[in-house]
Amino acid sequence: MSIDETHHPALQSWVESANAPETDFPIQNLPFCVFRRGEAPPRVGTRIGDEILEVTGLSTLKTVMALSRKALAELRLLLSRTLRADNPDPPKHLIHPIYECELMLPVEIGDYTDFFASIFHATNTGRIYRPANPLPPNYKYIPLAYHGRASSIVVSGTPIRRPEGQLYDGTPPPAVGSSRRVDYEGEVGCFIGLGNALGQPIRMADVEDHLFGLCLLNDWSARDFQRWESQPLGPFLAKSFATTISPWIVTMQALEPFRVPRFSRPLGDPPPLPYLDGEDDRERGGIAITVEV
Amino acid sequence: MSIDETHHPALQSWVESANAPETDFPIQNLPFCVFRRGEAPPRVGTRIGDEILEVTGLSTLKTVMALSRKALAELRLLLSRTLRADNPDPPKHLIHPIYECELMLPVEIGDYTDFFASIFHATNTGRIYRPANPLPPNYKYIPLAYHGRASSIVVSGTPIRRPEGQLYDGTPPPAVGSSRRVDYEGEVGCFIGLGNALGQPIRMADVEDHLFGLCLLNDWSARDFQRWESQPLGPFLAKSFATTISPWIVTMQALEPFRVPRFSRPLGDPPPLPYLDGEDDRERGGIAITVEV
């Protein structure tokens, strides 16, 4: 992946709202979605300003996610040229106003893994269970994670019912009732497109070939249930009543201009084990993302 | 569900191998599978003796699993009558010898939850981490479980590659290599057919309407990886390199003759919380299953 003409900051679109300086959806972004307008069947689209451009011939994003990196770059170029202000034949019949569209879960999710990616979050959580030694001893060596319930991932805006479960105040038996401590977590979701065969690892240098795009994610949590249920097997019902994701998948291509150098390893931290140390990552850096809640 | 003519012990089939006293697949069983013979597309079948009866018109078990309890009983009755020795017009063209068929994963699995169902297993595992107090304090109140990786569930017989990961002997950093402690677990898998809407709980009395059938399951485990990675978030890579399941789904209807009274609550155990206490279960008992490994 590299910066190409689709990232040029001066590009403008014939969709006027995409040229507003405050928009999150300029022609340089072009995130994918799946939407429905009226009684029509769901279709793949890309967001441009306050509109959705229907990507014709596609009813599911699975096809797009399975494309090679090269084909994805070509598709992005095609969408960019289609939407540019200098397109002599703009396909206005493929444009749908966002307020007339229902946004769907952008893709059927097969599996969902929740990584304990923030050292601050891991330390804060650890303090509840192990005040003297909050950060687990494995934290700096192995990516800690657990599988979540894929079937309760819904699109942002879906009404969420406050879950019922066991409320334990330290004296058995636990009471049963609605969670009093429903919490949210601002996270980034990563969509894995191309998979691997069972038993065939993916080398760090090839990771980006498998990463299709990112979205915002709210990992809803019932903290009272979580504290009672999560030892020894980890969070379960406290997390699986709902996970909401943004309807927009921002592609890795769109994020290429936001590369920053990789952080230096904090003093005293062990070096990453060789199989987790991406040379590519060292050279190309990471992507700077600020999540606001 | 109840005992009906399909369970009668005297029933015989025109498929001779189903009448052998030692067969696991007499006409009273009729488990479902998905199979492929030669270049033909996968089809739904039911096992009878050493043969598979093709269930015509079906390419996926999803359709069967979504049937109501009544419709399932009717389908079972139809299959039973079709295969009975007194059928004047046996459909021999729908019979496939098992040794000529490739057995597939019987259904696309959306989510997979692993329950810590055995108190003996929970106590043994707890001894590793908490020798003084092995059984977690929540164990007798809440069903402990974690989500597994649905995409690494494969049909029994699939070659499994010994996984690579972190080997920690107590002195950092961990080494990286192949697991030396790959282990198996003999378990019973439950297939949930009819689902529920997000936020709509299923009452204990209705649970069996959602339970389609059972299979044998081997929850492969890399014990060395598990010990290092599984605190605080539970098992992850130690379990998700492979889970194998039997290709045969034995329906709940087929198990009806194996009902036994529910065990009495062990002395000193707390009563189940009301929402987990099935009256139906109290009246009808459970199903006695012996798993041999």
Side-chain angles (χ1 to χ4, degrees), chain A residues 98-112:
Chain A
I98 188 88
Y99 61 85
E100 287 186 17
C101 298
E102 180 193 351
L103 292 159
M104 335 272 293
L105 198 67
V107 70
E108 196 181 331
I109 296 165
D111 266 313
Y112 156 44

Side-chain angles (χ1 to χ4, degrees), chain A residues 110-111 113 116 138 141-142 144-145 147 149-151 161 166 172 174 198-199 228-229 231 233-234 236 240-241 273 275, chain B residues 110-111 113 138 141-142 144-145 147 149-151 161 166 172 174 198-199 228-229 231-234 236 240-241 273 275:
Chain A
D111 266 313
T113 307
F116 215 24
N138 49 13
Y141 295 101
I142 195 164
L144 293 180
H147 298 297
R149 183 188 281 163
S151 63
R161 184 170 162 175
Q166 296 190 16
L198 191 70
W228 171 232
E229 76 171 5
Q231 291 301 320
L233 294 181
F236 177 49
S240 36
F241 61 100
L273 288 166
Y275 81 104
Chain B
D111 267 312
T113 307
N138 48 13
Y141 295 100
I142 195 165
L144 292 181
H147 298 297
R149 182 188 282 163
S151 63
R161 185 171 161 173
Q166 296 189 16
L198 192 70
W228 171 232
E229 76 171 4
Q231 290 302 320
L233 294 180
F236 177 48
S240 36
F241 62 99
L273 290 165
Y275 82 105

Side-chain angles (χ1 to χ4, degrees), chain B residues 204 258-266 270-288:
Chain B
M204 281 298 286
F258 303 94
R259 290 267 169 197
V260 291
R262 189 163 87 157
F263 280 120
S264 305
R265 176 151 48 91
L273 290 165
Y275 82 105
L276 292 172
D277 192 14
E279 275 190 48
D280 207 49
D281 183 40
R282 246 195 329 259
E283 277 167 30
R284 307 186 60 230
I287 291 162

Side-chain angles (χ1 to χ4, degrees), chain B residues 33-36 40-45 54-64 104-108:
Chain B
C33 70
V34 171
F35 72 102
R36 187 159 57 186
R43 280 167 293 187
V44 169
E54 177 181 340
V55 181
T56 47
L58 290 178
S59 63
T60 152
L61 257 180
K62 213 170 165 179
T63 329
V64 178
M104 334 274 294
L105 198 67
V107 71
E108 197 182 331

Side-chain angles (χ1 to χ4, degrees), chain B residues 101-124:
Chain B
C101 298
E102 181 193 351
L103 291 160
M104 334 274 294
L105 198 67
V107 71
E108 197 182 331
I109 295 165
D111 267 312
Y112 156 45
T113 307
D114 188 324
F115 284 87
F116 214 26
S118 157
I119 197 169
F120 307 106
H121 178 50
T123 308
N124 286 337

Side-chain angles (χ1 to χ4, degrees), chain B residues 218-231:
Chain B
N218 177 4
D219 182 30
W220 295 65
S221 307
R223 297 294 180 209
D224 33 12
F225 301 168
Q226 187 176 352
R227 185 162 181 175
W228 171 232
E229 76 171 4
S230 69
Q231 290 302 320

Side-chain angles (χ1 to χ4, degrees), chain A residues 61 99 172 214:
Chain A
L61 258 180
Y99 61 85
L214 307 183

